Each structure stands twice: as C-alpha cells, then as structure tokens.
Amino acid sequence: DGTVRIWNIENGEQEGTSMEHRDVMGFVVTKDGKRILSCGRDMVLRVWDVETHQSIAEWAGHAGSIHCIAMSPDDQLVASGDSKGMIVIRGMNLREDGRIKHVIEIGRRSNSICFSPDGTKLASGHRDAMIRVFDVENGDLILGPIEGHEASVQSVVWSLDGSRLFTASLDRSIRFWDSETGQAIGGPLTGHDFFTRSISLSPDGTQLASASIDGTVRFWATDSGDPIGEPLQWREHLQAITFSPCSEFVAFGEHGGKISIWRV
C-alpha cells in the first residue's frame, strides 16, 4: 500500500504515523534502531527517522525499480539492487548525501542481496537463477555466476561464520553453497509445493526458516540440511520471513497485506 509502518509486537498496534513510499519493495533498519531505509519502484532510497517517522534523506542513482536493500554489519554502507541489473553500494553518511562507492552493472535483475558477516563481500541472487559474490572494496565479481537453481533466486543469506551461502528459489528449493568455491553442499532441500520466496537465519545460526507461496513455513538444520519439526501451516501466500532476535518467534508477511508472529 506504499507505506512503511512500525508495530508494537506486544499488542499488535501500529506506533506513530505511516511512512509513505510508493510501491515499497524492501527496507532495512540500522543496528542502533534510529534509522529505516526503504526502497521501491520509484527508483529511490528513502531514509527515515524512527522517532519522528519523518523522511530525512532521499537518494537516487538507480535506473529501475529497486527490489532489494541490505546494510553492512557496521552500518557504514548500504547496497541496493534494481530491475535493470544494477547494484549500487553507497556510504551511510547523511552529510555526504549517500555518496556512491560503486555501481555494479550485472544486466540481470537483483532479487536479494546480503553483506557477509565481516562486511567485505556482497552476495546477490538474480532472476537468471544465478548467485554472484562481489568484493565490497572494489566492486569486482569474485565468485560466480554460481549455477544450480533452475529458476529465479529470491533470497540469499550468509552463515554466521561466512563460510556458506544459503539460497531460496522459485524452483521451490533451498540450497547450501561453499562461499569460497561456489560448490554446492549437498543436494537441494525440498518440501515446499510452490515458490520459495524468503529465508531467514536464526540468530544462533543453527536453523533456517523458509516461507513459501504454498502457505507454509519450514525449518531446516544448517549443519545437515535436515527438516526440523512440522511445517507451520497458514492460509495465505507468504512473501517474507524473519526470526526474532531471541529466536523464540518468526514473523512473516502475507500477500494479502497482513503480518503474523508465531512462537517457534
């Protein structure tokens, strides 16, 4: 609906006013909780003050709809990927107005991007079913394109130690990769009956949660790839998922515009 909203998880009530950004595609929150950055089809990044809910900066630089956004572990850089195959890495210094560090031209739509735990690499998942890894310092491609998925890669996540990549695809599978060699670790993890849209790594790094258009959330052990427990069954197409910082809950967003929180 073109808004970014903050919710109280204790009572489910919205806090403050909605932050308007046309056709929002993604957002990130700085670690200090003071800023939100949102991206959307209007080809700009907007920076919001969490306390006042006011826009404090607007950054251009993309030629197409911005589909994904990620913050570096130290909050010093933000990366964004668009529909035209461009990834932009820029500084978070508001006084320098989001000065661009690198523009990486790929030519394939970016669906998901994620900084490595040490902040030196950026992994990306693309519409061409490939995964790529770039050097953050110079913007060079250092790994890939990694082949293995049979359809668009929707979500990319690093392991806590940076040794592996986890990916989810419209081919319904989840895969594990060696982040140094790009080699697959084991076979595809299957179980979802339809597109897998989003994955999230638990804070302790031992589990992945996956959300699918089939209306289920599934859990996987990151050491073995084995499924954990029974899937959560839901009635709507699921678009996004994340663990809570304490690992006690998962929150997921539905295609119909609702957010649900489940104890796991």
Side-chain angles (χ1 to χ4, degrees):
D1 65 357
T3 63
V4 177
R5 302 173 186 235
I6 298 175
W7 304 89
N8 184 308
I9 63 170
E10 295 295 329
N11 57 29
E13 298 292 329
Q14 181 176 337
E15 295 189 347
T17 58
S18 301
M19 294 162 272
E20 296 185 2
H21 189 161
R22 182 170 62 88
D23 294 332
V24 178
M25 302 294 287
F27 69 91
V28 289
V29 183
T30 56
K31 284 188 172 55
D32 61 12
K34 295 181 178 179
R35 302 282 186 266
I36 294 173
L37 285 83
S38 60
C39 65
R41 297 187 189 277
D42 59 358
M43 301 185 290
V44 300
L45 301 183
R46 297 183 190 274
V47 185
W48 306 90
D49 184 287
V50 169
E51 184 175 349
T52 66
H53 293 209
Q54 297 298 306
S55 176
I56 55 178
E58 183 177 307
W59 297 335
H62 282 277
S65 303
I66 307 175
H67 285 253
C68 51
I69 187 170
M71 187 80 68
S72 64
D74 61 4
D75 277 353
Q76 296 303 301
L77 297 172
V78 59
S80 47
D82 69 25
S83 61
K84 300 296 185 181
M86 178 188 297
I87 293 176
V88 177
I89 302 176
R90 67 179 83 216
M92 261 300 292
N93 190 329
L94 295 179
R95 291 189 298 272
E96 296 180 354
D97 198 29
R99 182 173 59 86
I100 292 176
K101 180 181 178 71
H102 298 300
V103 174
I104 302 170
E105 298 279 1
I106 303 166
R108 298 292 186 272
R109 187 176 83 183
S110 302
N111 294 319
S112 178
I113 51 179
C114 187
F115 282 93
S116 61
D118 64 4
T120 63
K121 301 174 184 178
L122 184 75
S124 56
H126 299 271
R127 190 176 186 177
D128 65 359
M130 303 294 184
I131 303 132
R132 296 168 172 86
V133 180
F134 299 92
D135 186 292
V136 170
E137 182 58 33
N138 56 34
D140 290 344
L141 178 69
I142 56 175
L143 185 63
I146 301 171
E147 301 181 19
H149 280 296
E150 297 177 357
S152 177
V153 178
Q154 296 291 291
S155 191
V156 178
V157 177
W158 291 83
S159 64
L160 291 187
D161 63 3
S163 67
R164 291 175 294 164
L165 287 166
F166 309 122
T167 57
S169 167
L170 295 189
D171 66 11
R172 309 179 187 182
S173 76
I174 296 157
R175 302 206 66 162
F176 294 4
W177 311 90
D178 185 301
S179 65
E180 290 295 326
T181 66
Q183 295 297 308
I185 301 173
L189 309 186
T190 59
H192 285 296
D193 295 326
F194 209 40
F195 300 153
T196 309
R197 294 301 302 266
S198 179
I199 52 176
S200 177
L201 183 67
S202 63
D204 64 6
T206 63
Q207 297 184 56
L208 275 179
S210 58
S212 169
I213 298 296
D214 67 9
T216 66
V217 172
R218 294 177 180 269
F219 299 92
W220 314 86
T222 56
D223 59 351
S224 64
D226 292 336
I228 300 173
E230 295 297 318
L232 303 180
Q233 303 285 344
W234 198 238
R235 60 183 177 272
E236 295 286 343
H237 297 176
L238 304 182
Q239 301 288 334
I241 191 165
T242 188
F243 273 98
S244 65
C246 64
S247 297
E248 188 177 356
F249 304 95
V250 289
F252 49 83
E254 306 172 10
H255 180 72
K258 293 181 181 180
I259 299 168
S260 299
I261 300 174
W262 286 53
R263 186 186 301 273
V264 297

